């Protein structure tokens, strides 16, 4: 019955394309605008938090951790309130993950502190015996890339109208202003930390990756 | 089929890709074994400083096996099957020869860049779409070159009717092109802001939308890389190797269009109980179950092709590989829909049952089909018999044992973990802390590592066998009609 099609590669290809393409259109498009709307109170990440988010992505924490709390009692008991679509409105990319080798981190800022993270990232086993999470010593020597984080924030502000610099929202400003703000935001975190290398670097005006990622983890609420 | 002997097919590109398949297979699987053992023995994270931590290696593993091993296998078989079923040699067109070689070398460059950048942690974080925009551009270029090769060859074909395998290759080309383009839409930040890393970009989609597009992609990347082109292989190589005609032409038609129609709807099953709209989740669930029909249609068509010829299973190890592959295909296409049922998914999602499911498909179905296809091609490309049947038999059992260890340990691990996460004590409080649910998995992680190691050992045996076939095996005069000749 389809013999004709099998002799006409062009129409065959068009047929295949139509059949596979429209499912995507029908599933993704209808709720697109709705899903993009932020929940009241959700704010875009500060430049320092974004830099930390980049560290999170660089080391693929999302390969072992989810950021999606499903609406079950067992999950809300363990991790807190279940996730709402609008809470992710500024997450580019989304970091829901697909595997929970470690616990969900969607609201880890509610129950872990800078001090805890510092020890845990350096040596998870010393904090949680039996942990199989790798240690991230290199974050204590690598410098966070605030410049790229700023570039990203500026890009989403310009291209996607993310409300930086609006009332009640994080301030972005110029690159110089942004680096100053990032340092100011990093200061209390560094103060809470013990690692001398991190503190010395900070005194020189350098923000280590560990400081940025802790700022990010603390912002997850 | 007589005329096929008169055309002098040119396999130079197919050979290049066959070798790439083997090299990337070894690399990708070795990394896989390493990260599997990291789960059981975390000290293995520090073999090479930050570059060997699980987070860096995991994308390298998935991308090396998907885009290295499997795609090379797909392309090797394309450059072999394409000419033969279209009854035209690549040597007849200098342009197509050139495009084929360009395809290969550009691809090798692309892979090299990918390996370096992933080690460095340059990633977009999206699974199987980790590459930043400059690499994406190279990938699009490679894809377009392949497309020109396909349609170029079709353009000068002698056989007017497109054989079933060609349908599947065309679908692979179109499907991946569409999915890849849309999922990787991003804005390079340097061009907007004038600062920061030049290769960095930010996704066009945010949050829930990003997740929806990603899993529309992620699920269908499985469709169009792990399923569609592998079906192209089985439709060609099983009838060829066994000398049996395909059981039912109608069934192949039905399965093809069914698969095309249904697959693309099922992506929602990756997002059950998430924040994507409920109806998308429900559609994902329902279509996943419907997907059993076209999947089993193809598989049953393959098994019935062997009707009355089951003796070949004993005499010919390549048939054994292909039949077990089809069986694993049936297995994983029933397991997948089960996991897509909402109540099952509530338990299975985020657990090790999911990687378990992926691997009975990839190791059993995809891996075995590629291995069998390459070994079927080898005597015809190199004009030598397969080096050792004994080695092949041993490899079959070692790898099969490996797969069984892999999926059975991950079943137990996944279900155990899922049950422990939700277990409550008599007062309704959570019964286990998270770390309890990690520690209990240690034995299963070890077994899984051993399973993976066995599969890798088998793959080394295959590589050796292939290499010897290429270089040292007994020459054959005439191309074999069906069963591939092999030395004991």
């Amino acid at each position: 019955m389809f013999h004709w099609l099998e002799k006409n590669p062009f129409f065959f290809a068009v047929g295949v394309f139509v059949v596979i393409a429209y499912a995507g259109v029908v599933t993704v498009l209808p709720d697109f605008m709705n899903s993009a709307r932020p929940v009241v109170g959700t704010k875009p990440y500060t430049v320092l938090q974004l830099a930390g988010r980049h560290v999170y992505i660089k080391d693929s924490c999302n390969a072992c951790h989810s950021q999606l709390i499903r609406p079950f009692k067992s999950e809300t008991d363990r991790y807190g309130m279940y996730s709402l679509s609008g809470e992710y409105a500024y997450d580019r990319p989304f970091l829901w993950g697909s595997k929970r080798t470690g616990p969900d981190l969607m609201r880890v800022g509610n129950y872990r502190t800078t001090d805890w993270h510092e020890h845990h990232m350096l040596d998870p086993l010393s904090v949680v015996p039996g942990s199989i999470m790798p240690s991230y010593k290199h974050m204590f020597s690598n410098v966070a890339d605030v410049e790229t984080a700023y570039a990203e924030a500026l890009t989403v502000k310009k291209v996607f109208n993310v409300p930086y610099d609006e009332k009640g929202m994080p301030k972005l400003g110029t690159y110089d202003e942004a680096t100053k703000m990032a340092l100011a935001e990093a200061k209390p975190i560094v103060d809470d930390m013990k690692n001398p290398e991190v503190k010395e670097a900070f005194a020189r005006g350098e923000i280590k990756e560990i400081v940025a990622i802790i700022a990010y983890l603390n912002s997850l609420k | 089929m007589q005329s096929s002997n008169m055309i002098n097919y040119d396999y130079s590109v197919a050979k290049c890709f066959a070798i790439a398949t083997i090299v990337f297979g070894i690399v990708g699987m070795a990394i896989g074994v390493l990260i599997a053992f990291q789960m059981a023995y975390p000290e293995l994270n520090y073999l090479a400083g930050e570059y060997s931590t699980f987070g860096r290696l995991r994308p390298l593993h998935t991308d090396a096996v998907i885009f290295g091993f499997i795609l090379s296998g797909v392309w090797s078989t394309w450059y072999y099957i394409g000419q033969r079923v279209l009854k035209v040699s690549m040597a007849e067109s200098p342009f197509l020869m050139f495009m084929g070689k360009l395809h290969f070398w550009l691809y090798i460059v692309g892979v090299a860049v990918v390996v370096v950048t992933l080690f460095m942690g340059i990633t977009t974080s999206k699974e199987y779409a980790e590459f930043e925009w400059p690499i994406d551009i190279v990938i699009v270029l490679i894809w377009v070159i392949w497309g020109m090769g396909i349609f170029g060859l079709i353009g000068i074909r002698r056989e007017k009717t497109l054989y079933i395998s060609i349908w599947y290759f065309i679908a692979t080309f179109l499907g991946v092109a569409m999915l890849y383009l849309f999922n990787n839409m991003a804005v390079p930040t340097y061009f907007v802001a004038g600062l920061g890393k030049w290769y960095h970009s930010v996704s066009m989609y945010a949050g829930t939308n990003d997740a929806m597009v990603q899993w529309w992609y992620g699920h269908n990347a499985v469709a169009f890389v792990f399923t569609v082109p592998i079906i192209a292989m089985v439709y060609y190589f099983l009838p060829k190797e066994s000398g049996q005609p395909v059981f039912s032409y109608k069934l192949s038609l039905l399965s093809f269009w069914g698969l095309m129609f249904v697959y693309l709807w099922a992506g929602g099953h990756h997002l059950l109980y998430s924040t994507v709209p409920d109806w998308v989740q429900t559609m994902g669930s329902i279509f996943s179950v419907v997907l059993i029909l076209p999947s089993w249609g193809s598989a049953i068509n393959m098994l019935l092709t062997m009707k009355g010829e089951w003796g070949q299973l004993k005499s010919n190890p390549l048939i054994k590989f292909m039949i077990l592959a089809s069986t694993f295909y049936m297995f994983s296409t029933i397991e997948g829909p089960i996991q897509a049922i909402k109540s099952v998914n509530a338990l299975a999602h985020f657990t090790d049952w999911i990687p378990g499911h992926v691997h009975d498909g990839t190791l059993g179905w995809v891996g075995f089909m590629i291995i069998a296809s390459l070994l079927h091609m080898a005597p015809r490309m190199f004009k030598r018999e397969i080096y050792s049947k004994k080695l092949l038999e041993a490899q079959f059992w070692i790898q099969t044992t490996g797969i069984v260890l892999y999926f059975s340990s991950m079943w137990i691990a996944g279900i155990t973990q899922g049950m422990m996460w939700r277990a409550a004590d008599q007062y309704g409080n959570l019964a286990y802390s998270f770390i309890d649910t990690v520690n209990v998995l240690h034995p299963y992680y070890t077994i899984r590592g051993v399973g993976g190691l066995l599969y890798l050992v088998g793959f080394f045996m295959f590589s050796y066998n292939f290499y010897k076939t290429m270089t040292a095996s007994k020459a054959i005069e005439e191309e074999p009609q069906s069963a591939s000749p092999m030395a004991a």
Side-chain angles (χ1 to χ4, degrees):
Chain A
M1 91 196 113
F2 282 102
H3 279 299
W4 174 81
L5 209 52
E6 286 148 37
K7 292 195 170 84
N8 286 279
F10 175 75
F11 291 104
F12 180 87
V14 171
V16 170
F17 188 76
V18 170
V19 170
I20 61 180
Y22 84 98
V25 176
V26 175
T27 38
V28 177
L29 286 188
D31 284 296
F32 200 86
M33 294 319 285
N34 234 344
S35 301
R37 203 168 295 143
V39 167
V40 177
T42 305
K43 291 181 182 171
Y45 297 101
T46 66
V47 171
L48 183 67
Q49 289 162 1
L50 258 189
R53 199 168 191 269
H54 289 169
V55 177
Y56 189 95
I57 290 171
K58 180 178 169 193
D59 276 307
S60 290
C61 308
N62 48 293
C64 284
H65 290 285
S66 59
Q67 288 191 26
L68 176 77
I69 303 170
R70 297 178 294 171
F72 310 140
K73 181 172 182 302
S74 58
E75 300 222 344
T76 51
D77 279 4
R78 201 182 287 278
Y79 306 118
M81 162 76 178
Y82 58 82
S83 306
L84 301 175
S85 182
E87 293 182 279
Y88 299 110
Y90 303 118
D91 278 14
R92 291 171 197 267
F94 79 112
L95 290 174
W96 294 1
S98 56
K99 177 80 207 313
R100 271 185 197 153
T101 304
D104 190 276
L105 297 179
M106 170 101 190
R107 305 193 195 283
V108 70
N110 286 335
Y111 45 84
R112 298 288 181 214
T113 59
T114 298
D115 177 55
W116 192 90
H117 287 308
E118 181 184 7
H119 290 104
H120 185 252
M121 296 302 286
L122 189 65
D123 183 8
L125 275 172
S126 72
V127 185
V128 184
S131 176
I132 59 169
M133 175 162 146
S135 98
Y136 287 95
K137 294 194 176 60
H138 60 267
M139 287 185 190
F140 291 76
S141 43
N142 291 354
V143 179
D145 187 354
V146 174
E147 188 179 323
T148 302
Y150 174 78
E152 182 178 313
L154 190 64
T155 303
V156 294
K157 180 186 168 185
K158 281 189 181 166
V159 179
F160 304 112
N161 295 321
V162 171
Y164 284 110
D165 294 320
E166 284 175 20
K167 207 169 120 267
M169 291 292 172
K171 197 167 147 39
L172 192 57
T174 64
Y175 179 54
D176 278 340
E177 287 169 330
T179 41
K180 285 206 188 77
M181 282 184 292
L183 282 169
E185 194 186 333
K187 180 142 195 328
I189 297 173
V190 176
D191 287 344
D192 278 351
M193 292 177 66
K194 298 196 181 58
N195 188 291
E197 200 188 339
V198 171
K199 285 181 183 285
E200 275 162 34
F202 188 72
R204 292 194 303 273
E206 236 175 52
I207 301 175
K208 295 291 189 191
E209 282 186 345
I210 185 71
V211 180
I213 200 170
I214 291 178
Y216 171 63
L217 292 173
N218 286 344
S219 79
L220 296 175
K221 287 186 173 165
Chain B
M1 290 273 162
Q2 311 92 312
S3 64
S4 70
N5 293 332
M6 284 177 259
I7 305 171
N8 223 339
Y9 299 115
D10 189 310
Y11 298 125
S12 43
V13 182
K15 287 177 194 167
C16 288
F17 275 114
I19 292 168
T21 310
I22 292 175
V23 172
F24 297 146
I26 291 175
V27 173
M29 292 175 202
I31 298 176
V33 172
L34 174 61
I35 62 176
F37 277 112
Q38 284 180 345
M39 292 285 185
Y41 303 98
E43 312 83 65
L44 293 171
N45 274 285
Y46 319 119
L47 297 174
E50 67 180 277
Y51 304 106
S52 58
T53 50
F54 182 87
R56 297 283 173 90
L57 294 184
R58 198 266 184 182
L60 208 55
H61 163 62
T62 51
D63 290 334
V65 290
I66 298 172
F67 300 114
F69 168 62
I70 300 176
L71 266 193
S72 290
V74 170
W75 284 331
S76 179
T77 53
W78 156 256
Y79 282 106
Y80 177 93
I81 298 175
Q83 303 181 65
R84 296 181 68 113
V85 300
L86 297 170
K87 301 269 184 295
V88 52
S89 169
M90 280 179 75
E92 292 172 46
S93 158
F95 173 73
L96 289 178
M97 264 327 281
F98 172 76
M99 291 307 257
K101 294 203 164 129
L102 186 66
H103 177 191
F104 178 74
W105 287 109
L106 201 60
Y107 167 71
I108 294 296
V109 172
V111 172
V113 177
V114 162
V115 169
V116 173
T117 52
L118 288 182
F119 265 123
M120 289 168 65
I122 298 172
T123 161
T124 63
S125 91
K126 295 192 184 175
E127 284 178 65
Y128 334 122
E130 284 91 352
F131 323 120
E132 274 293 2
W133 65 269
I135 303 175
D136 286 339
I137 291 177
V138 176
I139 292 174
V140 170
L141 211 63
I142 293 171
W143 210 257
V144 170
I145 291 172
W146 181 40
M148 290 166 74
I150 297 178
F151 289 100
L153 205 62
I154 289 178
I156 57 169
R157 72 194 189 279
R158 295 203 178 79
E159 171 60 61
K160 288 300 165 208
T161 307
L162 304 181
Y163 181 64
I164 309 170
S165 297
I166 299 289
W167 315 346
Y168 282 96
F169 279 119
I170 291 177
T172 305
F173 170 73
L174 290 172
V176 174
M178 171 185 81
L179 296 160
Y180 200 83
L181 276 180
F182 280 98
N183 189 43
N184 283 285
M185 287 292 171
V187 185
T189 53
Y190 183 80
F191 295 134
V192 179
L195 298 155
K197 301 251 163 57
W198 64 274
Y199 48 76
H200 183 71
S201 66
V202 59
S203 175
M204 285 271 252
Y205 320 104
T208 301
N209 286 328
D210 202 31
M212 208 138 71
V213 177
Q214 160 62 25
W215 285 112
W216 170 75
Y217 165 83
H219 172 71
N220 295 304
V222 172
F224 287 94
V225 180
F226 293 174
T227 308
V228 174
I230 314 301
I231 298 179
M233 291 178 202
V234 79
Y235 265 116
Y236 180 80
F237 291 114
L238 186 66
K240 272 290 182 191
E241 182 68 28
S242 65
Q244 292 284 97
V246 170
F247 170 70
S248 161
Y249 172 76
K250 275 206 186 111
L251 191 54
S252 64
L253 254 181
L254 227 64
S255 311
F256 176 79
W257 289 104
L259 198 75
M260 293 301 118
F261 176 76
V262 178
Y263 224 121
L264 276 287
W265 294 90
H269 67 217
H270 287 261
L271 300 166
L272 300 181
Y273 296 107
S274 77
T275 63
V276 308
D278 271 340
W279 66 270
V280 174
Q281 302 184 23
T282 307
M283 293 280 269
S285 233
I286 292 172
F287 274 97
S288 301
V289 175
V290 179
L291 199 49
I292 297 176
L293 292 175
S295 307
W296 279 44
S298 298
I300 287 173
N301 210 1
M302 285 305 113
L303 296 184
L304 289 181
T305 294
M306 294 307 295
K307 204 173 55 167
E309 284 290 323
W310 290 104
Q312 290 195 23
L313 221 56
K314 252 202 191 130
S315 56
N316 186 346
L318 291 188
I319 296 289
K320 212 151 68 178
F321 270 103
M322 290 196 240
I323 290 302
L324 195 67
S326 305
T327 314
F328 268 118
Y329 179 53
M330 293 180 82
F331 175 37
S332 59
T333 50
I334 188 88
E335 189 185 23
I338 290 174
Q339 292 181 331
I341 297 168
K342 274 190 132 182
S343 53
V344 179
N345 191 270
L347 179 85
H349 192 52
F350 290 136
T351 73
D352 281 296
W353 190 6
I354 308 297
H357 164 62
V358 173
H359 284 82
D360 49 55
T362 47
L363 301 178
W365 155 241
V366 181
F368 273 17
M369 248 344 277
I370 290 180
I371 287 169
S373 303
L374 257 51
L375 282 174
H376 172 95
M377 284 155 54
R380 285 139 180 110
M381 295 196 301
F382 302 113
K383 314 232 175 328
R384 291 172 191 274
E385 61 179 19
I386 293 173
Y387 178 68
S388 166
K389 182 175 179 181
K390 254 205 216 98
L391 198 60
L392 197 52
E393 290 279 357
Q395 176 202 340
F396 177 84
W397 290 111
I398 290 178
Q399 290 195 309
T400 304
T401 311
I403 302 172
V404 172
L405 289 182
Y406 195 117
F407 73 72
S408 51
S409 60
M410 288 300 97
W411 272 354
I412 304 175
I415 293 171
T416 305
Q417 204 175 25
M419 297 297 278
M420 285 176 80
W421 285 343
R422 60 161 67 156
D425 64 15
Q426 60 198 25
Y427 308 107
N429 299 320
L430 293 172
Y432 299 100
S433 70
F434 194 89
I435 191 68
D436 298 336
T437 73
V438 176
N439 291 338
V440 69
L441 300 181
H442 178 81
Y444 309 113
Y445 282 152
T446 310
I447 295 171
R448 187 254 304 262
V450 172
L453 188 61
L454 287 179
Y455 196 88
L456 177 65
V457 167
F459 198 78
F460 273 114
M461 295 164 79
F462 158 69
S463 310
Y464 178 75
N465 215 345
F466 192 89
Y467 174 74
K468 282 294 200 185
T469 304
M470 212 165 99
T471 53
S473 202
K474 202 177 96 208
I476 47 178
E477 299 283 301
E478 235 176 74
E479 188 176 295
Q481 276 300 326
S482 52
S484 303
M486 43 188 102

